[in-house]
Amino acid sequence: MPVYDIYFDSRDRVSGTPWDSIFQLTHPLSNVRSVFCKSFQFFNTFQNITSTTNQFEINTLNAPTLITIPPGMYDAQKIVTTLNQLISPYATVSLSGNLLSWNTRYRIQNISTTVLGLPATGLYTPGQPTVLSLATLCYVSLSSKSIQPVQRPIACSPGLFSTPLITVPVTTEFGFVQSNVEFFPDHVICNNHALQTISFQVTDPFSKRPLTDLQSWAGVICFQAD
């Protein structure tokens, strides 16, 4: 079965935005049997802590105290340092592996899932530190709602995107280009679908937010088709 390697660049979209692009194929593809992403490149312009996901509350003995984290791109150590600057003297934060421990006697409320990966509800135990999982703070997922897979992949988030072709952690510093090459890519099996217009979405699959601060991306998508 022929394999068609097609280069997509968000700057060549016929409509949409860099994070929700629509492309028109020069020649339509018929009976698409599977799709996979061979390579993906993007410019890191992301803020994994944004102005809408950067506040949480500490209940002190007197009154709730609202903590605001400055928007930006954070790794694990940077978020620990920043939090310790903000919440002293209410609590202290330490990092062990990918576990973030809040050594405090106060209740932590309304922690952004984008910041820490877990909701704060029910995590507090009197006399015990609150421990939260802190994985990579931002991922990029390229997906397409124009492709009809035979079976929805487990990694798919319902309601946000339908066919994840690739998911990679953001590991470059802010302002640098990140490239990812898939040597053993996962194939998305399709249901004999004909394509001429195709859309791609770029999102963070863990915080479930579209990456609206993305400026550009490019990638090679491979189609197995008749």
Side-chain angles (χ1 to χ4, degrees):
M1 181 179 296
V3 177
Y4 301 90
D5 292 358
I6 301 179
Y7 175 79
F8 292 93
D9 190 313
S10 61
R11 295 171 295 182
D12 298 329
R13 64 189 185 275
V14 295
S15 61
T17 63
W19 57 272
D20 193 0
S21 305
I22 297 177
F23 299 88
Q24 188 79 17
L25 300 181
T26 305
H27 302 286
L29 297 175
S30 61
N31 295 327
V32 177
R33 304 300 179 86
S34 69
V35 181
F36 62 92
C37 183
K38 179 179 287 187
S39 63
F40 189 56
Q41 186 178 66
F42 54 88
F43 188 57
N44 183 3
T45 54
F46 307 117
Q47 291 183 332
N48 54 9
I49 295 181
T50 69
S51 59
T52 58
T53 59
N54 66 333
Q55 293 183 329
F56 63 95
E57 198 173 76
I58 296 180
N59 270 4
T60 65
L61 297 179
N62 298 320
T65 299
L66 185 67
I67 305 296
T68 301
I69 305 171
M73 184 70 182
Y74 290 79
D75 59 20
Q77 190 55 59
K78 184 177 179 181
I79 190 64
V80 167
T81 301
T82 302
L83 286 171
N84 278 327
Q85 293 171 347
L86 292 171
I87 65 179
S88 177
Y90 305 111
T92 57
V93 174
S94 61
L95 185 67
S96 176
N98 67 337
L99 294 180
L100 187 66
S101 298
W102 301 71
N103 299 308
T104 174
R105 60 193 178 95
Y106 305 114
R107 183 177 178 84
I108 310 297
Q109 295 182 325
N110 303 328
I111 300 176
S112 164
T113 55
T114 298
V115 176
L116 300 174
L118 286 175
T121 306
L123 293 177
Y124 175 74
T125 302
Q128 299 293 326
T130 300
V131 179
L132 304 175
S133 175
L134 184 67
T136 301
L137 290 173
C138 189
Y139 278 78
V140 167
S141 180
L142 177 69
S143 57
S144 175
K145 61 184 178 183
S146 302
I147 303 172
Q148 298 176 355
V150 173
Q151 185 174 4
R152 184 182 294 271
I154 295 175
C156 177
S157 296
L160 199 64
F161 45 86
S162 57
T163 310
L165 300 178
I166 191 171
T167 297
V168 295
V170 179
T171 57
T172 57
E173 296 182 21
F174 185 88
F176 286 81
V177 174
Q178 178 167 327
S179 298
N180 189 83
V181 177
E182 290 292 287
F183 295 102
F184 303 100
D186 291 330
H187 291 237
V188 174
I189 306 302
C190 300
N191 193 13
N192 298 330
H193 192 45
L195 284 178
Q196 184 164 16
T197 301
I198 185 169
S199 63
F200 291 107
Q201 293 78 44
V202 185
T203 186
D204 179 352
F206 295 97
S207 67
K208 297 185 178 181
R209 76 176 176 99
L211 293 174
T212 56
D213 40 6
L214 177 69
Q215 293 182 357
S216 63
W217 63 269
V220 175
I221 311 298
C222 301
F223 299 87
Q224 290 183 326
D226 294 343

